[in-house]
Amino acid sequence: MGIPMSVDVPAPADPRRAERAVRTAFARLHEADRRFSRFRSESEVSRFGAGDLRPEDLSADLTEVLALATRAGLASGGAFTVRRPDGTLDTDGVVKGWAAQRAAGVLDAAGVGAFCLNAGGDVVTRGEPVPGRGWRVGVRDPSDAHRFLVVVEQRDGAVATSGTYERGAHVWDGRTGRAASGLLSATVLAADLTTADVLATCVLALGRDGVAWAAGQGATAVLAVDDDGRVVGDTAGLRLLDGAPAV
């Protein structure tokens, strides 16, 4: 998918079983890349976008992803879209979180009780890395790669961020066909990474109005930084570490 991905499994009860589960999880991620990459002309999403496949010919996976995109588009009033301004089908706004959540499901099914799956900075966590402490997830300052805005502690959940500070203007407002504006970054906490990732993209597309909107769509907390560097958000659900900066 063009992004680094990793899994941290601290002290598994059955190391061999955990290793097999991690290998299977990564196989699922590679499979998703082959199916959904818009950079592969032979991928299913590229073939469908080019008109080589009919809707009735699509796999269950692509059908599910397109349905998720349709629901997000309707819920956001058209701000979320999987069509780029030139008409190219681009499911990246759904697939990364969806694929990583499915990989996490492999680990869950194998009984891996504690893990952190990191998909290019978007994470799914389970259990505790050490007894009595949750996983610590930093939300970076979009203007400074060496500074965290907050560090949250969580056990079972997901965190996703969408922003312009690394890839530039790559999220489009489906209502206008222009690059999303108003926010430098949007971070969403939710129960699963599919929800968190889609909502983070929606918030970036919607701008400041998306912060309150996401809170009613399954987000447990939202943290955004506007174009002027101001932090805005519904942060009541953030469990901050002692000493973490207030927002």
Side-chain angles (χ1 to χ4, degrees):
M1 299 181 186
I3 55 174
M5 294 192 175
S6 63
V7 178
D8 183 359
V9 182
D14 186 339
R16 290 185 178 181
R17 184 177 184 180
E19 182 178 356
R20 288 194 299 270
V22 169
R23 291 183 182 277
T24 301
F26 272 93
R28 293 285 180 87
L29 292 169
H30 285 296
E31 179 185 354
D33 184 56
R34 289 190 295 270
R35 185 181 300 281
F36 292 102
S37 174
R38 58 189 173 87
F39 301 107
R40 297 172 181 260
S41 61
E42 74 280 7
S43 72
E44 184 179 5
V45 75
S46 292
R47 293 173 62 205
F48 180 56
D52 296 335
L53 293 175
R54 300 171 298 175
E56 57 267 30
D57 298 327
L58 301 183
S59 66
D61 285 350
L62 182 50
T63 299
E64 179 181 348
V65 164
L66 292 176
L68 288 168
T70 297
R71 288 198 292 272
L74 292 172
S76 64
F80 182 92
T81 179
V82 290
R83 291 286 179 181
R84 300 177 70 80
D86 63 1
T88 302
L89 180 62
D90 178 0
T91 57
D92 290 359
V94 179
V95 167
K96 184 175 72 168
W98 173 88
Q101 185 62 48
R102 282 173 56 116
V106 171
L107 303 178
D108 286 332
V112 181
F115 64 85
C116 176
L117 190 157
N118 187 327
D122 296 342
V123 302
V124 184
T125 59
R126 292 286 185 275
E128 300 177 337
V130 295
R133 176 171 72 78
W135 293 92
R136 293 174 177 176
V137 182
V139 178
R140 66 155 283 189
D141 185 335
S143 63
D144 185 349
H146 302 289
R147 178 178 181 269
F148 291 132
L149 292 175
V150 297
V151 179
V152 300
E153 184 173 324
Q154 68 174 21
R155 288 164 174 79
D156 300 342
V159 184
T161 297
S162 184
T164 62
Y165 48 86
E166 287 188 347
R167 296 174 57 192
H170 67 285
V171 173
W172 308 93
D173 185 341
R175 299 168 299 182
T176 65
R178 296 191 294 270
S181 61
L183 297 178
L184 297 176
S185 69
T187 298
V188 171
L189 277 67
D192 65 272
L193 194 53
T194 305
T195 299
D197 192 26
V198 170
L199 289 182
T201 303
C202 285
V203 173
L204 198 69
L206 286 164
R208 291 178 67 100
D209 292 343
V211 173
W213 171 87
Q217 300 293 323
T220 57
V222 184
L223 179 68
V225 180
D226 68 16
D227 286 343
D228 295 323
R230 292 187 295 261
V231 176
V232 294
D234 177 6
T235 59
L238 286 175
R239 289 170 287 178
L240 304 180
L241 291 177
D242 290 341
V247 295

